Structures are given as C-alpha cells and as structure tokens.
C-alpha cells in the first residue's frame, strides 16, 4: 500500500506556470507558427501540444524535426531568440484578467491557511508573466528556466522548489498540466495534481479541470482518498 497522505503533512504547493496559472500556449503557438512559416515548416495546433512543458530550445528542435530541417547550433540559438521576441510581443500585452479562473482565489486562500507557495516552471519569461498577472506577492519563491539547467521530467525544478521553501520533498505537492511535469514531480518523490484530462495525464495522482470553486483542503482530502484506497 502507498504511504498515507495526511492533510497536515503537506506544507508546500509547487505550481507550474504555463497551462496551470495562465494559458500562454496560444501565444507560444502563434510565435512558433510565425517562425515555422518563415522556415517553410508546416506547424499545426496539434503539433503545438508536443511543446507543452518543453524547454524553448527543445521546442524548436521538435519544430525542426516536424519540418525535416537541420540547422547549426548557432542558427538554432538565433531562431530561438527570434521566437522569443515574437512571443514577448504577445506577453507584453497580457492582461491580469487572463489568469485562469479561480487561480488567484485558490492561491490567496492557500496562503491565508499557511501553505508555502513556489513556482516551478521551465519558462525564462515567468517573472514578466507573473508581474503582468499581478501575482508576484502570492509566491514565496520562483524557480524557473533562469535557475534550472535540467528540463522536466528531471525533478530539479521541484526539488529546488522544496529546498527554497525549506521543506522536505514529500511535504510538497505539484500542480501540472504536462505529462513531463507529472513525471518530474514523481521523480522528486512528490504527489502530482494534474490540470487536465486522464487522456493527457494518465499518471497524475488526482485530476482537476482547474481551480474554480476549489480550495486546498478539498484537494488534500481527495488525494488522501485516492492514495489510501
Ligand atoms: C513551459 C511551456 O512552461 O516553458 C513551454 O510549457 C515553453 O511551452 C517553456 O517552451 C519555455 O518557455 P520560455 O518562456 O522560456 O520560452
Ligand atoms: Mg505547463
């Protein structure tokens, strides 16, 4: 039997950013699409699914694979920078209202109830995005692509999250929308709440459609039920 989940033992909440707090996938898509068009690569919305949770460089390599194109490292770096410039044009227009439904309320309630909160994202643009959403003050720590070197499913980002919060790994849970992120949480010895469907996230310990009308205590109770079955 799996180890029992006790509500009071969970003290830290680690949140992925893109797809959990805000839907930036559509802006990533528009930026990759523009670049792909310039490179004569046919890049679809369905292809974009493969880039969720994946680093910028790895995303570009997938785009190149789709087009059957090869490129020098230098050229790849240049194109990634170009994609990011296009992406930032969208992010600079991001409105605070674009935060996903219920997220602000969920974070506010969790903080009020004494949970420590950290971001665990692959993005190098996370601070700008969080500033635009006006949620910087709801986080104790930010671990993102600027302070990590290993991509999910490596557990580095979440292990650092727990370390920055000064908590043991198994007293943190992770909220993720990407399969690689769920795997990263498990690799760190943490439970993972998937934001999505069983088709996308079959390995999640619990699935939620989002944060609307739910509080942390309810999630911990549900996790306890699932794990103690
Ligand atoms: C992840 C996104 O959070 O961050 C990926 O899901 C993205 O799609 C990655 O490629 C890196 O983001 P950025 O903002 O540093 O290009
Ligand atoms: Mg994500």
């Amino acid at each position: 039997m799996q180890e029992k989940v006790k509500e009071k033992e969970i003290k830290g909440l680690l949140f992925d950013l893109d797809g959990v707090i805000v839907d930036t996938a559509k802006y990533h898509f528009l930026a990759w699409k523009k670049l792909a068009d310039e490179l004569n690569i046919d890049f679809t919305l369905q292809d974009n699914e493969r880039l969720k949770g994946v680093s910028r460089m790895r995303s570009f390599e997938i785009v190149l694979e789709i087009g059957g194109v090869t490129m020098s490292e230098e050229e790849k770096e240049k194109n990634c920078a170009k994609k990011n410039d296009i992406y930032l044009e969208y992010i600079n227009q991001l409105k605070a209202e674009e935060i996903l439904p219920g997220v602000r309320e969920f974070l506010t309630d969790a903080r009020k109830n004494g949970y420590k909160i950290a971001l665990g994202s692959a993005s190098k643009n996370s601070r700008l995005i969080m500033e635009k959403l006006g949620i910087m003050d709801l986080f104790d720590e930010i671990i993102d692509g600027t302070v990590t070197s290993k991509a999910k499913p490596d557990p580095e980002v979440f292990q650092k999250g727990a370390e920055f919060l000064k908590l043991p790994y198994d007293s943190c849970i992770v909220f993720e929308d990407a399969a690689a992120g769920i795997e990263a949480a498990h690799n760190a010895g943490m439970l993972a709440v998937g934001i999505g469907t069983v088709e996308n996230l079959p390995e999640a310990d619990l699935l939620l459609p989002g944060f609307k009308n739910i509080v942390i205590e309810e999630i911990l109770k549900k996790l306890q039920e699932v794990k103690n079955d």
Side-chain angles (χ1 to χ4, degrees):
M1 195 177 78
Q2 301 247 17
E3 212 181 308
K4 291 205 171 195
V5 182
K6 294 197 199 91
E7 257 180 76
K8 60 176 178 358
E9 285 178 353
I10 298 297
K11 296 188 169 77
L13 312 179
L14 308 180
F15 287 82
D16 175 47
L17 176 67
D18 298 306
V20 170
I21 290 175
V22 59
D23 177 19
T24 42
K26 57 188 177 211
Y27 303 130
H28 279 297
F29 173 69
L30 291 169
W32 285 126
K33 177 82 185 145
K34 190 161 180 205
L35 187 69
D37 284 351
E38 282 176 23
L39 297 168
N40 285 319
I41 295 172
D42 186 22
F43 180 68
T44 66
L45 251 181
Q46 202 183 336
D47 294 327
N48 195 54
E49 285 300 304
R50 291 175 59 192
L51 311 188
K52 288 188 178 173
V54 175
S55 74
R56 193 180 307 165
M57 178 53 89
R58 184 62 201 131
S59 295
F60 186 50
E61 286 168 353
I62 294 173
V63 173
L64 289 178
E65 273 164 39
I66 291 166
V69 177
T70 50
M71 217 175 251
S72 70
E73 288 305 312
E74 202 186 326
E75 282 302 301
K76 285 200 270 184
E77 291 289 353
K78 264 193 215 157
N79 279 288
C80 279
K82 197 166 175 184
K83 180 267 174 177
N84 200 50
D85 287 345
I86 305 167
Y87 179 62
L88 286 178
E89 284 174 27
Y90 294 105
I91 295 306
N92 280 318
Q93 308 290 320
L94 194 72
K95 302 270 174 301
E97 303 86 77
E98 288 183 66
I99 190 166
L100 286 169
V103 173
R104 194 186 305 277
E105 295 77 5
F106 184 86
L107 291 169
T108 306
D109 170 80
R111 268 181 87 82
K112 228 190 316 176
N113 283 290
Y115 292 91
K116 293 274 169 222
I117 299 177
L119 189 84
S121 165
S123 175
K124 293 182 172 157
N125 296 303
S126 68
R127 283 175 189 268
L128 173 64
I129 294 170
M130 290 168 79
E131 268 159 23
K132 290 277 174 193
L133 297 177
I135 55 170
M136 279 301 241
D137 58 345
L138 294 176
F139 284 78
D140 297 291
E141 298 290 346
I142 294 169
I143 296 86
D144 66 8
T146 63
V147 292
T148 50
S149 55
K150 297 176 204 142
K152 300 169 188 176
D154 189 282
E156 183 192 19
V157 65
F158 297 131
Q159 287 174 334
K160 276 200 172 165
E163 285 158 16
F164 280 33
L165 293 177
K166 302 191 176 55
L167 292 172
Y169 296 159
D170 62 359
S171 73
C172 294
I173 59 168
V174 168
F175 296 90
E176 255 293 348
D177 73 313
I182 301 286
E183 210 183 320
H186 289 161
N187 288 338
M190 298 171 188
L191 290 171
V193 179
I195 308 300
T197 62
V198 70
E199 288 76 29
N200 301 331
L201 306 172
E203 301 300 330
D205 297 293
L206 180 73
L207 284 164
L208 291 180
F211 292 95
K212 221 173 158 185
N213 301 323
I214 193 149
V215 289
I216 184 62
E217 277 74 19
E218 242 174 287
I219 291 176
L220 296 182
K221 222 170 275 166
K222 280 179 200 261
L223 274 172
Q224 196 172 14
E225 283 162 16
V226 176
K227 286 286 146 188
N228 296 341
D229 258 352

